[in-house]
Amino acid sequence: MKLYIIRHGETSWNKEKKLQGQRDIMLNENGLRLAELTGEGMKNIEFDLVISSPLIRAKQTAELVMAGRQLPMITDKRIIEMSFGKWEGECVNNSEILPSDYKDKFYNDPLHCPKAPGGESFQDVLKRTADFYQSLVHNKAYENAAILISTHGAASRCLLANFYEDKEDIWRGGVPKNCSVCIVDVKDGVGTVLEKDKVYYPKEA
């Protein structure tokens, strides 16, 4: 099984550095363009299936990357973005609501980051993305499949934790770029990261 884990294209809230979480924000013009260019860059990869977060920005990305292909796409709530509860819509750079150390904890010590009221912790997202991954591993129909997984920044990094011994380094170099792809080869239930944050669109895009 080979997994292509893509972060969705850009949204207006990405540009404004807002906590998007599970708010259903559409791709902006640049996000649509990046997804289209990524699809062009991945056109020679033969996929068998697409699994997307149920949020529209992830589904739009998957649809644009897979444009022209007649492939099944299913959605799975386990790869939806981390919920920021009542803090969704807050800007991490100038919020009067977020704890003063929130930004630092979020990026540098995520496992001890304050949990938003009504939201999730990184541990919560690690648990559900691990459950998602195990469901793929134990599905014999996917054993030799190439699967595009369209998800989000924090959710994709938590999913990636399944392939590293060190589970505490969540970000592994930072938040992935919009439409960047992590490629994972899975054999006998063991996943190996072949490429991290590969960009299929031109660097100047």
Side-chain angles (χ1 to χ4, degrees):
M1 177 167 54
K2 188 169 283 188
L3 309 177
Y4 294 80
I5 304 167
I6 187 170
R7 185 191 178 199
H8 62 78
E10 186 184 75
T11 71
S12 60
W13 280 26
N14 286 150
K15 286 196 71 174
E16 296 168 14
K17 305 296 183 184
K18 289 183 177 181
L19 293 176
Q20 218 161 189
Q22 296 181 7
R23 291 282 190 93
D24 216 3
I25 310 298
M26 299 180 69
L27 299 181
N28 62 17
E29 186 176 341
N30 187 50
L32 295 169
R33 184 175 63 92
L34 291 181
E36 289 173 350
L37 289 171
T38 301
E40 179 67 21
M42 301 181 82
K43 66 182 180 181
N44 293 325
I45 301 172
E46 294 186 6
F47 287 99
D48 299 291
L49 176 68
V50 180
I51 305 176
S52 176
S53 154
L55 294 178
I56 192 167
R57 58 189 184 270
K59 291 193 292 183
Q60 282 182 302
T61 300
E63 288 166 357
L64 288 167
V65 170
M66 293 290 116
R69 309 191 198 205
Q70 301 300 316
L71 282 178
M73 180 169 76
I74 60 177
T75 59
D76 196 305
K77 290 182 178 180
R78 292 172 295 182
I79 55 171
I80 199 171
E81 182 58 304
M82 180 177 181
S83 171
F84 296 105
K86 292 184 178 180
W87 293 346
E88 290 184 359
E90 288 296 308
C91 177
V92 295
N93 290 330
N94 57 16
S95 172
E96 296 181 1
I97 295 175
L98 297 177
S100 59
D101 64 345
Y102 185 79
K103 183 178 178 180
D104 179 63
K105 289 284 188 182
F106 184 80
Y107 292 112
N108 299 313
D109 190 14
L111 293 182
H112 298 98
C113 184
K115 184 176 178 177
E120 293 180 293
S121 66
F122 277 89
Q123 288 89 341
D124 293 330
V125 185
L126 285 166
K127 182 177 180 180
R128 61 173 165 83
T129 52
D131 184 67
F132 167 77
Y133 171 60
Q134 288 302 317
S135 72
L136 298 183
V137 170
H138 291 98
N139 190 329
K140 288 292 185 183
Y142 298 159
E143 190 172 9
N144 298 305
I147 306 174
L148 180 73
I149 299 174
S150 187
T151 181
H152 308 266
S156 68
R157 283 305 199 237
C158 287
L159 178 57
L160 208 64
N162 288 280
F163 315 119
Y164 292 93
E165 290 186 12
D166 178 9
K167 307 297 183 185
E168 294 191 6
D169 181 12
I170 300 294
W171 291 114
R172 304 189 186 281
V175 179
K177 290 183 178 180
N178 292 109
C179 285
S180 63
V181 181
C182 292
I183 306 172
V184 180
D185 187 48
V186 183
K187 291 181 180 177
D188 300 321
V190 178
T192 303
V193 178
L194 302 180
E195 293 195 68
K196 185 172 74 70
D197 301 340
K198 180 178 175 63
V199 172
Y200 284 90
Y201 51 84
K203 289 183 178 180
E204 64 272 12

